[in-house]
Amino acid sequence: QRLSRQLMEELANPPAAVAVCAEEAPAIAAEVAAASGVAVGRTSDRLRSPANAPRPWVRPFLAEAAGRPAAEARPVLVDLGDRIGLLRPVGVGAPCLKCHAEPERLSPGVRDALTGRYQADAATGYAEGDFRGFFWAEAAK
């Protein structure tokens, strides 16, 4: 929720929103983990940042949801032995398209910001309603 709030505030200037995702999202995840002992993150089958690569247990769920409408993806609770894993689907909303649409539809400022941060960006080409990935959490039993 905190990340979404910050993104919505910055979307008036989409290149600034790129910085929020790149810098604030990992900081928020680290704060949550430190405060709660629960590891959290985000991942996708089409990564923007290699730091968001899926954990092994997440991969089959990504493969199943990839390329489908977000409405078809469901939250998942997984028994990981000594931990519990939780996946919450992320869908592409209209505001997301400022940074995740087809590359030719992105503003020059956004394209420059993405190219400057993510040389191997695969997180474009989405349409509203597409499945984007998962927020994930892992907690001890």
Side-chain angles (χ1 to χ4, degrees):
Q1 290 173 341
R2 190 169 132 201
L3 176 61
S4 291
R5 262 193 319 272
Q6 285 181 305
L7 277 173
M8 291 304 130
E9 290 171 11
E10 295 295 340
L11 279 173
N13 178 14
V18 173
V20 168
C21 275
E23 298 164 14
E24 294 297 320
I28 291 168
E31 287 175 30
V32 168
S36 67
V38 176
V40 297
R42 58 196 170 139
T43 193
S44 178
D45 63 308
R46 293 165 51 187
L47 293 174
R48 177 154 280 166
S49 170
N52 294 329
R55 293 188 169 213
W57 66 270
V58 176
R59 288 184 186 126
F61 300 102
L62 274 174
E64 182 179 319
R68 296 176 166 221
E72 293 180 11
R74 300 284 175 239
V76 178
L77 186 63
V78 180
D79 185 340
L80 301 171
D82 61 340
R83 297 162 292 129
I84 297 291
L86 175 67
L87 297 175
R88 183 173 158 224
V90 177
V92 176
C96 306
L97 296 175
K98 291 183 179 183
C99 299
H100 291 285
E102 293 292 339
E104 61 274 7
R105 296 188 62 205
L106 302 175
S107 73
V110 168
R111 276 196 307 269
D112 292 346
L114 292 173
T115 301
R117 286 187 184 269
Y118 308 108
Q119 290 71 39
D121 182 17
T124 58
Y126 288 98
E128 188 171 357
D130 285 350
F131 171 76
R132 169 73 183 96
F134 287 110
F135 288 116
W136 59 265
E138 287 183 17
K141 284 186 176 176

